[in-house]
Amino acid sequence: MRTSLIAAVDLGGTMTKIAFINMHGDIVVSWQVPTDVSDHGKRIITNIAQEIKKKLLELSISKDQLLGVGVGAPGPFSETGVMYTAVNLGWENDYPLKALLEQELGLPVRVENDANCAALGEMWKGAGGGAKNLVCVTLGTGVGGGVIANGQIVRGAYGAAGEIGHMTVMTENGFICNCEKSGCLETVASATGVVRLASQQLEATSKASLLRTKQSFSAKDVFEAAKMGDEIATFAVDRCSSYLGLALSHLGNTLNPDVIVIGGGVSKAGEPLLQAVRRKFNEFAFTPVRNSTRIDLATLGNEAGVIGAAWLIKQNNDLV
């Protein structure tokens, strides 16, 4: 009996990750290719289809072994698979991603926001441990998020639910965000936010700091300096953790998930960040929430997106 597989795609503005994944969530093969955003991204869909066909041929896998294609992409979607906006891909608004890829491959396609796919991946095979109520927060260049309730992604009226990075955590004198609001979580809990907090403190005081010896520094440098007891770096990490813990407490009080999963590059700071966030979460969370919602680090790394995209197809087949 031939094994049924799922083609999973994590479509990013720079690189596209593709994988064949079995129904147990195990990656059989994965690879990545540059995303061609030239000419308004008109070759992206064709390139993805060609990559899948080429890999099938290379591995001597029949196309009828593929149950379908799950795709995570950076933008909000309609229920019919139309991408409302795709700034990083060059596409026009209301881009029919699902319909076009189905036309190219002749396979069922399901599409979802990439942060939502990461949440689904962590729910299925990662830190969520199968929990059906989960929030996933990704701390990278920005702050993204996905909300799962009763095993289903919460999309909202316009597909924009889960925009955790744009929760306001600084109501006065907040930093300006790329979304043009001020005081967003993204401005203080992303990699750039941590650097911003440290830079602001360096300007506000003349205290010695390891960070002053660097012409420029990253969030990783800030966390490493904090581990060494650097006062300014510690201040920045504490503020980041405080804002993040506050935001997560609001999510906890509203949703009471089984678990809040923290992923992305900033999460590599590990246990020191996690413990600080937990302390602030416990300070602000409603007691029943504090006692029932746990906060853990993500475990899937950059595989979360493709595993979550595969879940879209698995779930659909489980319901048939």
Side-chain angles (χ1 to χ4, degrees), residues 14-32:
T14 303
M15 300 295 293
T16 298
K17 188 177 183 67
I18 308 173
F20 291 164
I21 297 174
N22 65 27
M23 290 291 278
H24 300 293
D26 303 316
I27 295 177
V28 175
V29 62
S30 68
W31 69 104
Q32 60 180 21

Side-chain angles (χ1 to χ4, degrees), residues 91-174:
W91 291 336
E92 297 179 354
N93 291 345
D94 299 325
Y95 190 82
L97 193 161
K98 170 181 163 68
L100 291 175
L101 191 54
E102 284 182 337
Q103 182 179 327
E104 285 279 351
L105 283 170
L107 289 166
V109 173
R110 294 195 67 194
V111 296
E112 185 55 81
N113 172 266
D114 55 354
N116 288 345
C117 282
L120 288 168
E122 290 291 343
M123 176 191 75
W124 185 20
K125 299 294 290 185
K132 297 303 181 185
N133 296 283
L134 175 146
V135 174
C136 183
V137 183
T138 54
L139 310 176
T141 304
V143 174
V147 177
I148 298 171
N150 296 322
Q152 302 294 321
I153 283 290
V154 177
R155 294 184 179 83
Y158 192 71
E163 287 291 347
I164 294 164
H166 300 292
M167 294 175 65
T168 301
V169 293
M170 298 177 71
T171 57
E172 296 181 1
N173 302 315

